Amino acid sequence: MTLFSIKSRTPLNTSFLLQPMENGATKKISSEATKRWHFGPNDLLSAAGGRSIRGIIYKIIDNVDEQGPRPMVPLGHGDPSVFPSFRITTSAEEAIVESLRSAEHNHYPPSVGLLSARRAIAEHLSEKLPYELSPDDVFITAGCNQSIELVATSLARPGANILLPRPGYPMYETHCVFSNLEFRHFDLIPERGWEIDLDQVEQLCDENTVAMVIINPGNPCGSVLSYKHMEKIAETASKLGIMVIADEVYNHSNFGSKPFVPMGVFGHIVPILTLGSLSKGWIVPGWRLGWVVITDRKGILKETKVIDSITNFLEISADPATFIQAAVPQIIERTKGAFFERIVNLLRATAEMCYDKIKEISCITCPNKPEASMFVMVKLELSLLDGIIDDVDFCMKLSKEESVILCPGSALEMKNWLRITFAVEPSALELGLERLKLFCRRHEKKQSK
């Protein structure tokens, strides 16, 4: 509606309003500032995004003194692809180039993934299982993060809850929040090599619990679960009537004496969804190629229509690039054991260095020597430090003073712990740990005379 002046009948300028002031005068304010808009932020996204490791790490990085004389040492991330020592084999790169240049893979893929990729993944994973997987057991995703989203979305229903490990990978909590799926934490026990507290799992479970998540090899603990313990996990889940979600992204990163056992070995006991990807084994997280694999010898997931939910999710979500999927068979076939052996030997050496250097720092303790993955969890002894409030404060001050980035344990539901990445160039790791030691010495409480 247009407003007019009573005397002149000319249109009034309504781009501003007059606001009374304390001294009796008025000031002009834009009408846009007083208009009530009908949109706003999604509160679920705000809550979910607040749990992101990336967001927390970026805040710590922002605290680095850009004018400082020392380069930043990143020991808080999980992406070693930027370091020359961790470069993917050229044969895998050539498989991508050939797939792209063939001009045969510019089309939309099937929602569950290309058959050739699913078959290659099924054959690759079957090598460590007592039975053969079929391509129909494999669903292709845009990286393991989408696999986690698939799980949370497919299992979410009113009142449902899922059991998650503490410490764990925060993307599970993030997607549960966004899917309105309640999560409950069970503890990993450092004194027992980060085994699962199965008594606590039984206490947490009720008639609305749908699944429990295990991450093996362990992120962020660097642990490997034994066959005997995994069998107990399967038996406990079966007794409770819940499925097991097995995150096995680090299945190629086992360098300790304990062998890696895929959870799918126990698919005859309990239904299992195994999550995996090229990201960590091939060191190509930017290729965004993951999978969800069903190992369910009794067909329970089909009977309960969970497979239908998975398929429906993939029908309405984005697909990994078709040319990446088409290259998967050649990537797997051409990546020889020498590549994995080189990466495993490198991780073993950097893990050893990390463990030994940490023993030289009095305010940090490491309960277990890492056996796999790219991380180790260490406990922060605040009583030995002066002027440090908690783990987040420690990481913020460390980045400011030493340009070293660590991940605070609070991001992983472990307050006053730290996650240290050892999947970096050995020289960078040595430098970062030396700066960490200097920082801790500088902040040590002085002994009273």
Side-chain angles (χ1 to χ4, degrees):
M1 181 178 70
T2 304
L3 299 181
F4 293 88
S5 164
I6 295 176
K7 290 184 178 180
S8 66
R9 301 297 297 169
T10 57
L12 290 173
N13 182 358
T14 58
S15 62
F16 65 87
L17 300 174
L18 297 179
Q19 182 182 54
M21 301 177 66
E22 290 183 0
N23 60 7
T26 59
K27 70 174 182 178
K28 294 179 180 180
I29 62 170
S30 169
S31 61
E32 294 297 315
T34 63
K35 185 182 294 184
R36 183 185 175 199
W37 295 102
H38 296 270
F39 48 81
N42 184 327
D43 291 337
L44 280 177
L45 275 177
S46 299
R51 291 181 167 273
S52 163
I53 278 191
R54 285 185 185 180
I56 293 169
I57 294 295
Y58 289 157
K59 287 179 182 178
I60 294 172
I61 291 175
D62 287 343
N63 206 45
V64 172
D65 185 359
E66 295 182 358
Q67 306 303 319
R70 291 169 297 187
M72 184 179 72
V73 181
L75 303 183
H77 72 310
D79 181 4
S81 65
V82 298
F83 301 107
S85 295
F86 287 88
R87 182 169 176 177
I88 178 63
T89 174
T90 54
S91 61
E93 295 174 336
E94 289 165 0
I96 293 287
V97 173
E98 291 169 10
S99 175
L100 181 61
R101 287 182 173 170
S102 72
E104 296 177 0
H105 310 296
N106 298 326
H107 56 85
Y108 290 122
S111 59
V112 295
L114 289 181
L115 177 59
S116 60
R118 290 158 50 217
R119 180 182 293 113
I121 292 168
E123 292 173 354
H124 175 65
L125 297 180
S126 293
E127 292 175 3
K128 292 188 176 182
L129 294 174
Y131 44 80
E132 294 293 320
L133 293 169
S134 130
D136 292 337
D137 296 322
V138 180
F139 302 87
I140 305 294
T141 60
C144 195
N145 277 348
Q146 192 187 45
S147 298
I148 296 171
E149 180 186 8
L150 178 154
V151 166
T153 306
S154 299
L155 297 180
R157 53 182 172 77
N161 68 75
I162 188 170
L163 308 183
L164 305 179
R166 178 173 53 208
Y169 181 50
M171 198 57 70
Y172 285 94
E173 286 87 346
T174 295
H175 284 299
C176 285
V177 168
F178 194 61
S179 297
N180 274 320
L181 177 61
E182 179 192 347
F183 59 86
R184 302 172 180 179
H185 287 117
F186 58 83
D187 292 320
L188 306 183
I189 307 170
E191 297 79 14
R192 299 212 308 248
W194 299 105
E195 285 189 346
I196 293 170
D197 186 339
L198 290 175
D199 291 335
Q200 188 182 29
V201 167
E202 294 199 38
Q203 292 168 6
L204 290 169
C205 189
D206 61 23
E207 67 277 5
N208 292 316
T209 305
V210 294
M212 66 179 292
V213 171
I214 69 166
I215 304 176
N216 182 51
N219 171 14
C221 302
S223 54
V224 179
L225 298 178
S226 69
Y227 182 99
K228 184 177 180 180
H229 187 61
M230 294 179 68
E231 187 174 39
K232 287 182 180 178
I233 292 170
E235 291 169 350
T236 300
S238 177
K239 180 174 70 173
L240 297 173
I242 61 177
M243 75 173 75
V244 175
I245 313 299
D247 184 328
E248 298 180 355
V249 166
Y250 290 95
N251 66 333
H252 283 291
S253 306
N254 180 19
F255 48 82
S257 59
K258 196 181 299 179
F260 163 72
V261 179
M263 192 70 206
V265 166
F266 307 101
H268 62 288
I269 298 176
V270 66
I272 296 161
L273 295 182
T274 299
L275 280 51
S277 73
L278 295 180
S279 299
K280 307 302 181 181
W282 279 262
I283 321 294
V284 286
W287 291 8
R288 312 311 296 155
L289 195 290
W291 53 79
V292 174
V293 174
I294 294 170
T295 44
D296 177 24
R297 307 303 290 168
K298 298 178 181 177
I300 297 169
L301 297 179
K302 182 176 182 179
E303 180 184 335
T304 55
K305 300 189 182 299
V306 170
I307 294 178
D308 291 346
S309 285
I310 292 173
T311 304
N312 290 336
F313 172 89
L314 293 171
E315 291 284 357
I316 62 172
S317 61
D319 308 307
T322 309
F323 72 90
I324 298 285
Q325 294 191 46
V328 166
Q330 291 302 314
I331 290 172
I332 292 176
E333 181 181 338
R334 295 180 185 179
T335 306
K336 304 303 181 183
F339 168 76
F340 298 113
E341 185 177 354
R342 174 173 66 82
I343 297 298
V344 163
N345 287 339
L346 181 57
L347 289 172
R348 182 184 294 111
T350 53
E352 188 87 31
M353 178 195 299
C354 188
Y355 185 70
D356 289 342
K357 293 287 185 181
I358 288 170
K359 287 190 290 188
E360 299 174 5
I361 305 174
S362 60
C363 66
I364 296 176
T365 57
C366 182
N368 293 281
K369 188 175 182 178
E371 301 177 284
S373 81
M374 302 175 179
F375 313 102
V376 62
M377 286 295 288
V378 298
K379 189 174 183 180
L380 192 59
E381 303 292 347
L382 288 176
S383 62
L384 301 178
L385 294 169
D386 194 20
I388 302 293
I389 300 171
D390 57 19
D391 56 316
V392 175
D393 187 43
F394 181 96
C395 291
M396 294 294 280
K397 288 176 177 172
L398 176 65
S399 65
K400 185 73 172 178
E401 297 178 24
E402 296 290 345
S403 298
V404 174
I405 309 302
L406 298 183
C407 178
S410 294
L412 315 168
E413 305 292 336
M414 289 285 280
K415 187 175 177 63
N416 296 331
W417 285 67
L418 304 169
R419 188 189 77 173
I420 301 178
T421 303
F422 51 80
V424 297
E425 291 290 349
S427 58
L429 178 62
E430 187 173 14
L431 177 62
L433 293 172
E434 187 61 31
R435 290 189 197 170
L436 174 61
K437 182 167 69 173
L438 291 173
F439 174 84
C440 290
R441 283 181 178 175
R442 190 161 58 248
H443 288 272
E444 271 183 352
K445 281 186 176 177
K446 308 303 178 187
Q447 294 294 330
S448 57
K449 294 182 180 179

